[in-house]
Amino acid sequence: MTVDRRTVRESATFPPSVIAEIQRAADQGIYDIRGFGGKRRLPNFDDLVFLGASTSRYPLEGYRERCDTSVTLGARHAKKPIELKIPITIAGMSFGALGAHAKEAIGRAATEMGTSTTTGDGGMTEEERNSSKTLVYQVLPSRYGMNPDDLRRCDAIEVVVGQGAKPGGGGMLLGQKITERVAEMRTLPVGIDQRSACRHPDWTGPDDLAIKIRELREITDWEKPIYVKVGATRTRYDVALAAKAGADVIVVDGMQGGTAATQDVFIEHVGIPTLPAVRLAVESLKELDLHREVQLIVSGGIRTGADVAKALALGADAVAIGSAAMLALGCNKPVHEEDYRAIGAEPGYCHHCHTGRCPVGITTQDPDLERRLPPEVGARHLRNYLTVMVLELQTLARACGKSHIHNLEPEDMVALTIEAAAMAGVPLAGTDWIPGRTAF
Amino acid sequence: MTVQDSITVDLAEVSVRDLNQRLHHLTDGGDADWQILNPRGQHAIAVGLMDPVQITIDGPVGYYCGGMNQNAQIVVNGHSGWGVAENIMSGVVRVRGNASESAAATGRAGLVVIEGDASSRCGVSMKGVDIVVGGSVGHMSGFLAQTGRMAVCGDAGADLGSSIYEAVIYVRGDVESLGADCIEKEMTDAHISELAELLTRAEVAADPSEFRRYGSARNLYHFKVDHADAY
Amino acid sequence: MCGIVGLYLKNPNLYEKLGEHLQTMLVGMTERGPDSAGFAVYGDQLSAGLVKLTLYDPAQATNWDGLAHRLQDDLNATAEVTARASHAVLIADTTHDAVANWLRTYAPAIRVMSHGDRIEIYKDMGLPVDVANRFGLAAMVGSHGIGHTRMATESAVTTEHSHPFIAGADLCLVHNGSLSNYNRLRAWLSRRGRIFATDNDSEVAAQYFAFRLGQGLPLSEALRAGLRDLDGFYTFAVGTRDGFAVLRDGIACKPAVLAENDDWVAMASEFRSLSALPGIDRARVWEPAPAVVYSWEAERMDRAA
């Protein structure tokens, strides 16, 4: 007997995906652990548009009149600030989560573009240091691979308090990715499920963070800029306290930010989106009169030059990309489709970084899979992508009459939705209304 | 170039920053004994050292004294604040008084000796360092300890060795309680002689046969529903 | 997020030096709390029938003598007042409630920082050394005191948000850490009649202990109840009429050091604040265990899990 499809009704409360997850939990007795970032729909930069120049403002010519994209990071206290040619940096992704080819490809592309890359939970590799001109070294709660030689040979230090995918949570790397090399770098037994701490082992809170930052400066002779990275959550306080604790640069990672492996419930239900986080962070710095003196890097779901332009217009000094860089390397590309299916995924939907069986050779330690990503090919793709983003950014900045991308302002934008207007603090298009601030 | 026998630095007159810079860029004094006076609990004294210098600090130090030490021999004649010898790579850091929390946190190698008591989370996330405590350690000591050895001549506070990996903990006195996945293990002759060597190296007098040994049950190495209470 | 200090003198010969030692201890915690500082000092007990209040005028526009005269007339009570910078100490032969009610009408802008028959509380924005000098801490005499240097976290940097927070007559609290359930607890206490002056988490802790003491619990029991009801991270020092108490949460990741000899008991976030105390070299020095109540009152130590 055939069923008339019009007579079956899907439950809005219990759609098939929810039923599947309940039954998976019942079968396995462990929460869903996965990679990638939040997948739910969130208010984002798409809901903002720029007010291009016309008669009251004059635009710049696209290919003749200069639109500068340079950024200086860390001049507040560091003797050797970082100079970047473009305001797009590569976010921290660990060797372990990523394979060596991916790390090398990222380093090469960033170096060619004049921007920085970042280590991750697990320490610095030779490939990464050698391929990256400007390398930011993360100090994480686990301190896997932490050592003073790498502190001295990095170009900046990033104290990671949290990340957007899991503010308040520690890292995870499942046994299939703890290969001999990864285990050795992290001083762990091979093949175990690694559970990283959520708090640093030797400080908690901003008063003690201030002392930690001082120690890192002392070890490195006050040369290196010190970043503090926080997941976007209690952003106003976090940014103020990072600045008070002495950070040169603050990195705010919105909830769209990715991860190699974390509980799905964490990814989807903790933190705030990047859009409101930028505004909160900028307001916090302005309250301390430190906006632009302490630089702000924003990350979490940055995809296009338009996203970059909007983040900068709201007051960020630079952005960082992680997931987008991986996508440029080929993450979720429709090749080797049978290998996606073997791990229960499809190209375009894959978030199976945690399995270590990445079909395109990015988030894997398997030599056969890694060969699918020759570093020079990956570097070429990422460089192309970054170049496009910068051209897009300059296109928008010139259209608004800016000879430097940092001269973009919130007033250059309006919002298409009430949500975005409220979160970004810019008026709803066609009105003077900023919900929560001005009367309609 | 003449070799000096002793170099004295008074932190009442010289900043910690100047002291550390001198110690990082030794043009001479590498063979000398450094005497540091009036530390007055300041933070980050003698951090990031690379050379095998002998340093005696006369008085209490603040956080992270001897942090990330390589090769230097540092003695603190006083109490130390949090994270003494954090992430030590080699050399020796000795505290003649008590140490606050997280002593030798994440230490990679070398030797840390606390002649008095160490507070909570001694040896947290240790990654190969040897730690000898003449007195007792506070709660959560050896938390997430990965490798290395910790010998405690006195008592251990609650939740010793919680979520321990392959590190080994020796305790002579009472253990208030063991943390998740930490169990007592057999003390063999090999362990007694290994501990004897460690105590001798630390210049701490204690009979190794009086210690008990603790380590990982390795039940939490893989996520299992039956261990949900321990996550 | 801050530095805290406490000093309890067992030896009355040292009472003259209380302020001097407390100032040294407080200034030792400058790096931990550059935003503001405050302290409570417990001096001689007043004669029966008198009450002492420390008052604060945010506008610093009050004629304190005029205020005392008006209070004398209105309440038919004697009142004398001593001004110290933005604060003033008022001693009157009436009750705290009578003065507080009268202030609400006559001078609603004035805040009561402390009340009792021994305590005085002073707090202000700025570096600890400046705050201490502003109020003349070094010359203050008494048996014990607690102090605080603040790096503000979730609430504003103002004098009123500074510590110590008053919890009742001769009772106050300083806090290093961050409570995670204070909004719910504030609502719960408000429904039970407690009135809050700020949105600060530490004030909630102070009011919580005042509430438990008001239920008749002894101090050590009230503190133990706090272990159950206050969530988050804390090292507290609580000043009482006859001594002080120290309590850390069960995880204990905010610092605290205790020291004791025959003459005194002292606590601080870091040892550096204890290092100048007379006889520290021979004092017993240790760190308070998590979730254990330590209290010293009238030379009686009560330590119980």
Side-chain angles (χ1 to χ4, degrees):
Chain A
M1 196 177 108
T2 57
V3 174
D4 182 347
R5 299 298 303 173
R6 296 168 304 171
T7 65
V8 296
R9 185 173 170 193
E10 178 177 312
S11 165
T13 307
F14 294 100
S17 61
V18 170
I19 294 170
E21 170 53 20
I22 289 172
Q23 290 167 354
R24 186 208 60 76
D27 283 345
Q28 297 176 3
I30 185 79
Y31 37 49
D32 188 19
I33 296 173
R34 69 169 176 89
F36 214 69
K39 292 195 164 187
R40 63 194 291 173
R41 176 167 156 68
L42 295 167
N44 64 33
F45 292 115
D46 285 345
D47 297 329
L48 302 178
V49 289
F50 281 102
L51 303 172
S54 60
T55 48
S56 70
R57 287 280 177 92
Y58 319 132
L60 299 183
E61 290 289 355
Y63 298 96
R64 299 173 194 87
E65 289 161 347
R66 186 169 171 73
C67 177
D68 196 349
T69 59
S70 63
V71 187
T72 302
L73 299 170
R76 184 190 189 194
H77 295 301
K79 282 193 253 177
K80 295 184 177 173
I82 283 182
E83 305 283 348
L84 301 181
K85 288 184 185 159
I86 63 172
I88 307 165
T89 66
I90 309 298
M93 291 178 279
S94 71
F95 173 78
L98 268 55
H101 285 201
K103 287 297 271 185
E104 185 182 339
I106 288 170
R108 285 190 191 196
T111 299
E112 288 166 14
M113 294 299 294
T115 190
S116 63
T117 60
T118 313
T119 65
D121 202 357
M124 186 187 293
T125 64
E126 289 302 316
E127 296 97 320
E128 182 170 36
R129 176 63 278 188
N130 295 338
S131 62
S132 302
K133 177 173 174 287
T134 306
L135 181 59
V136 182
Y137 185 38
Q138 289 192 326
V139 177
L140 291 124
S142 70
R143 309 280 167 86
Y144 293 134
M146 169 55 54
N147 72 83
D149 299 321
D150 287 342
L151 270 180
R152 291 183 202 107
R153 67 177 185 155
C154 74
D155 300 289
I157 298 163
E158 181 169 294
V159 179
V160 179
V161 178
Q163 70 184 84
K166 47 186 174 188
M172 277 187 177
L173 207 54
L174 300 189
Q176 53 267 44
K177 297 186 82 166
I178 307 287
T179 60
E180 281 190 25
R181 185 176 177 198
V182 172
E184 189 190 337
M185 283 181 69
R186 301 183 183 210
T187 334
L188 288 170
V190 174
I192 67 159
D193 292 333
Q194 167 222 306
R195 301 153 279 133
S196 302
C198 66
R199 294 196 311 273
H200 281 258
D202 55 357
W203 64 271
T204 306
D207 38 20
D208 293 332
L209 171 59
I211 303 171
K212 189 73 205 175
I213 288 175
R214 280 276 293 283
E215 184 210 9
L216 294 168
R217 290 199 193 282
E218 286 293 330
I219 290 171
T220 55
D221 290 341
W222 293 71
E223 289 181 349
K224 321 281 183 189
I226 296 192
Y227 302 8
V228 171
K229 177 175 179 174
V230 293
T233 167
R234 300 169 186 265
T235 303
R236 187 186 295 277
Y237 303 130
D238 288 339
V239 168
L241 291 170
K244 282 189 194 180
D248 296 307
V249 176
I250 299 171
V251 183
V252 176
D253 189 23
M255 76 176 285
Q256 296 99 316
T259 176
T262 287
Q263 299 95 325
D264 174 82
V265 71
F266 225 135
I267 297 173
E268 299 289 6
H269 297 280
V270 183
I272 61 172
T274 306
L275 179 66
V278 188
R279 193 201 91 236
L280 289 168
V282 171
E283 284 177 358
S284 189
L285 288 172
K286 283 183 173 167
E287 279 170 20
L288 297 170
D289 199 21
L290 289 172
H291 185 224
R292 299 289 190 216
E293 183 178 342
V294 170
Q295 285 80 38
L296 174 67
I297 299 179
V298 165
S299 57
I302 302 285
R303 307 151 299 176
T304 63
D307 286 346
V308 181
K310 291 167 187 175
L312 297 188
L314 288 175
D317 293 274
V319 303
I321 57 168
S323 301
M326 284 169 47
L327 292 166
L329 295 179
C331 166
N332 271 296
K333 205 168 194 173
V335 291
H336 306 291
E337 298 197 19
E338 66 290 355
D339 291 341
Y340 281 95
R341 284 181 203 114
I343 55 173
E346 287 280 347
Y349 302 90
C350 184
H351 56 224
H352 291 53
C353 322
H354 58 290
T355 64
R357 303 296 308 157
C358 179
V360 290
I362 299 171
T363 60
T364 180
Q365 301 293 319
D366 181 313
D368 291 332
L369 292 172
E370 273 211 84
R371 265 192 287 280
R372 294 177 179 179
L373 179 72
E376 61 280 3
V377 175
R380 176 79 213 175
H381 285 148
L382 180 54
R383 201 183 74 189
N384 286 346
Y385 168 61
L386 286 167
T387 302
V388 169
M389 284 178 103
V390 173
L391 288 170
E392 289 174 343
L393 165 63
Q394 287 173 307
T395 299
L396 295 170
R398 284 197 181 96
C400 294
K402 317 290 182 180
S403 61
H404 194 293
I405 41 118
H406 281 165
N407 294 331
L408 286 163
E409 302 170 320
E411 289 77 5
D412 293 320
M413 298 187 293
V414 293
L416 300 179
T417 65
I418 294 170
E419 288 84 357
M423 290 187 192
V426 302
L428 189 66
T431 76
D432 296 325
W433 185 37
I434 302 176
R437 297 194 192 186
T438 57
F440 184 69
Chain B
M1 192 176 87
T2 56
V3 175
Q4 290 173 274
D5 294 321
S6 177
I7 296 172
T8 300
V9 177
D10 186 349
L11 288 177
E13 289 161 8
V14 173
S15 71
V16 170
R17 184 169 171 176
D18 287 343
L19 170 67
N20 283 329
Q21 303 245 336
R22 273 182 78 182
L23 290 168
H24 292 170
H25 305 281
L26 290 171
T27 49
D28 62 347
D31 299 326
D33 290 344
W34 290 65
Q35 303 286 328
I36 313 298
L37 307 179
N38 291 308
R40 294 179 180 171
Q42 293 187 79
H43 306 307
I45 295 174
V47 296
L49 305 194
M50 290 159 273
D51 298 298
V53 288
Q54 301 274 340
I55 295 180
T56 304
I57 303 169
D58 235 359
V61 295
Y63 283 38
Y64 309 131
C65 179
M68 304 221 185
N69 188 57
Q70 289 165 302
N71 301 309
Q73 316 273 317
I74 299 172
V75 176
V76 178
N77 282 324
H79 302 304
S80 85
W82 278 49
V84 65
E86 67 92 9
N87 214 84
I88 181 174
M89 305 295 290
S90 58
V92 180
V93 175
R94 177 182 298 274
V95 177
R96 296 215 187 272
N98 298 343
S100 279
E101 294 200 17
S102 304
T106 77
R108 302 279 297 271
L111 175 66
V112 178
V113 183
I114 312 297
E115 295 189 358
D117 297 327
S119 176
S120 303
R121 282 174 277 268
C122 180
V124 55
S125 290
M126 56 194 280
K127 295 168 169 56
V129 67
D130 283 331
I131 304 170
V132 177
V133 180
S136 299
V137 296
H139 87 312
M140 292 295 274
S141 287
F143 178 49
L144 286 168
Q146 294 174 225
T147 61
R149 299 172 296 180
M150 173 158 61
V152 180
C153 298
D155 303 330
D159 292 323
L160 178 72
S162 193
S163 296
I164 189 172
Y165 294 95
E166 293 299 302
V168 180
I169 302 176
Y170 299 102
V171 182
R172 183 164 66 170
D174 296 332
V175 173
E176 189 174 331
S177 64
L178 293 174
D181 214 28
C182 184
I183 54 172
E184 184 173 349
K185 296 190 168 185
E186 186 191 357
M187 190 78 180
T188 64
D189 289 346
H191 293 113
I192 290 173
S193 67
E194 175 195 76
L195 177 58
E197 182 272 331
L198 177 60
L199 292 167
T200 303
R201 197 152 56 86
E203 298 168 27
V204 170
D207 179 353
S209 67
E210 294 173 0
F211 286 70
R212 291 160 172 252
R213 181 169 71 103
Y214 304 90
S216 179
R218 304 190 180 95
N219 286 325
L220 295 186
Y221 279 13
H222 298 280
F223 291 103
K224 289 193 196 105
V225 64
D226 301 329
H227 300 139
D229 287 351
Y231 297 135
Chain C
M1 294 294 136
C2 322
I4 60 183
V5 298
L7 178 63
Y8 171 70
L9 300 173
K10 301 177 186 176
N11 180 350
N13 294 331
L14 293 173
Y15 286 2
E16 294 286 327
K17 296 273 192 185
L18 177 77
E20 188 183 318
H21 292 313
L22 199 60
Q23 174 151 348
T24 303
M25 294 171 73
L26 192 70
V27 171
M29 290 295 92
T30 299
E31 285 180 56
R32 302 192 68 82
D35 289 336
S36 67
F39 52 89
V41 169
Y42 291 81
D44 286 342
Q45 190 161 337
L46 297 176
S47 315
L50 294 179
V51 65
K52 177 158 75 174
L53 295 91
T54 318
L55 305 178
Y56 162 61
D57 172 19
Q60 300 197 45
T62 300
N63 176 341
W64 293 109
D65 288 328
L67 180 125
H69 286 133
R70 175 82 182 265
L71 185 140
Q72 282 184 343
D73 294 345
D74 288 359
L75 296 183
N76 192 23
T78 63
E80 63 180 84
V81 69
T82 311
R84 285 180 189 268
S86 58
H87 290 40
V89 175
L90 176 84
I91 297 175
D93 65 340
T94 176
T95 64
H96 158 249
D97 285 347
V99 178
N101 287 335
W102 178 80
L103 281 170
R104 269 195 280 279
T105 309
Y106 174 69
I110 286 176
R111 300 279 173 261
V112 177
M113 307 305 258
S114 72
H115 66 93
D117 59 14
R118 296 192 63 191
I119 192 173
E120 294 172 19
I121 287 182
Y122 302 92
K123 49 194 189 183
D124 205 351
M125 289 175 283
L127 289 175
V129 66
D130 297 331
V131 174
N133 286 336
R134 209 171 290 157
F135 295 115
L137 170 58
M140 290 186 189
V141 175
S143 58
H144 59 289
I146 61 176
H148 186 268
T149 65
R150 179 165 186 245
M151 181 187 280
T153 51
E154 291 196 2
S155 63
V157 180
T158 71
T159 297
E160 288 171 293
H161 285 85
S162 307
H163 301 220
F165 283 102
I166 187 163
D170 287 315
L171 191 75
C172 68
L173 170 141
V174 293
H175 171 208
N176 180 201
S178 176
L179 300 180
S180 63
N181 66 339
Y182 69 95
N183 293 299
R184 176 173 297 184
L185 207 53
R186 187 201 290 111
W188 186 82
L189 290 164
S190 294
R191 284 197 301 277
R192 281 151 186 80
R194 305 297 306 185
I195 295 164
F196 288 83
T198 72
D199 57 354
N200 186 291
D201 61 334
S202 310
E203 190 194 1
V204 174
Q207 296 265 15
Y208 171 82
F209 292 127
F211 175 77
R212 288 294 180 213
L213 292 167
Q215 289 180 317
L217 293 187
L219 179 65
S220 56
E221 288 298 319
L223 291 171
R224 259 188 285 283
L227 287 169
R228 184 186 64 234
D229 290 333
L230 298 169
D231 205 352
F233 295 103
Y234 46 86
T235 297
F236 294 128
V238 179
T240 68
R241 186 191 319 263
D242 300 314
F244 84 101
V246 173
L247 179 67
R248 301 173 85 189
D249 67 84
I251 294 172
C253 69
K254 295 313 294 180
V257 186
L258 284 164
E260 181 171 18
N261 67 11
D262 290 342
D263 289 332
W264 45 255
V265 181
M267 81 83 58
S269 299
E270 297 175 32
F271 180 79
R272 66 196 298 182
S273 274
L274 308 177
S275 59
L277 287 170
I280 183 69
D281 291 345
R282 291 173 307 284
R284 185 167 84 93
V285 176
W286 78 104
E287 302 208 353
V292 173
V293 174
Y294 296 79
S295 69
W296 290 264
E297 283 196 322
E299 304 193 20
R300 196 182 63 243
M301 181 182 159
D302 164 25
R303 182 187 190 276

